[in-house]
Structure formats: C-alpha cells, structure tokens
Amino acid sequence: RPEQAILGDDVKFLLKELQQQFAVHIVSGRGKEFLESQFLSGTLSLAAEHGAFHKRPGAEWISRVNSDISSWYEEVKRAMHAY
C-alpha cells in the first residue's frame, strides 16, 4: 500500500548528512502534499507527480504542465469510455 511507504528516521538522517555536501533533489510519482510531509521542507528540491510539479528550497510549487485540461479532457474521456 503506497500510503504506508514513508521515510524512516534512518533515511531522514542520511538525507540530512548528504545535504551537508550536496544539493539533494527528490523526484517521485507521489503528490506534493506527501513529499512535503516526508521530506525536510525547505531544504530539498522536490519534484512531485513524475515531474509535473517542482519546488526549490524555500520556494512555492511550480507546475510544469503547460496544457489546459479543458482543451483535451472531454475528448480523452469519450475515447476512454469507448474502450
């Protein structure tokens, strides 16, 4: 179950140690809220939802999705229902 996959204290400690020498970037398929809850907020660069959103330390989330869902969603929905 994905919701049970959380970082242990040992991993959090290792990430903190790595940050002393490197810029650490975490890329995940999980959502923004999950990443913020698991990682040291404000100290890591995070990419959520397979890179659809990214956030640098101390900054706000930025969407990398540059399409308007209303421009394609209904057509895709019809196609999915057809199959």
Side-chain angles (χ1 to χ4, degrees), residues 64-77:
R64 298 185 57 86
V65 178
N66 54 4
S67 69
D68 177 15
I69 192 170
S70 64
S71 68
W72 56 266
Y73 183 79
E74 287 302 320
E75 183 178 345
V76 171
K77 185 177 174 182

Side-chain angles (χ1 to χ4, degrees), residues 11-12 18 23-24 26-28 34-35 38 42-44 47 50 58 61 66-67 73 75 78-79 83:
V11 175
K12 290 179 183 181
L18 280 171
V24 178
I26 304 295
V27 180
S28 175
F34 175 82
L35 293 181
Q38 292 298 300
T43 62
L44 298 167
H50 304 288
W61 284 99
N66 54 4
S67 69
Y73 183 79
E75 183 178 345
R78 281 191 300 276
Y83 295 97

Side-chain angles (χ1 to χ4, degrees), residues 6 28-41 46-49 53 55 61:
I6 59 172
S28 175
R30 303 294 293 270
K32 300 178 288 187
E33 295 80 14
F34 175 82
L35 293 181
E36 287 184 325
S37 73
Q38 292 298 300
F39 295 98
L40 307 172
S41 184
L46 302 173
E49 300 179 29
F53 298 92
K55 177 180 180 176
W61 284 99

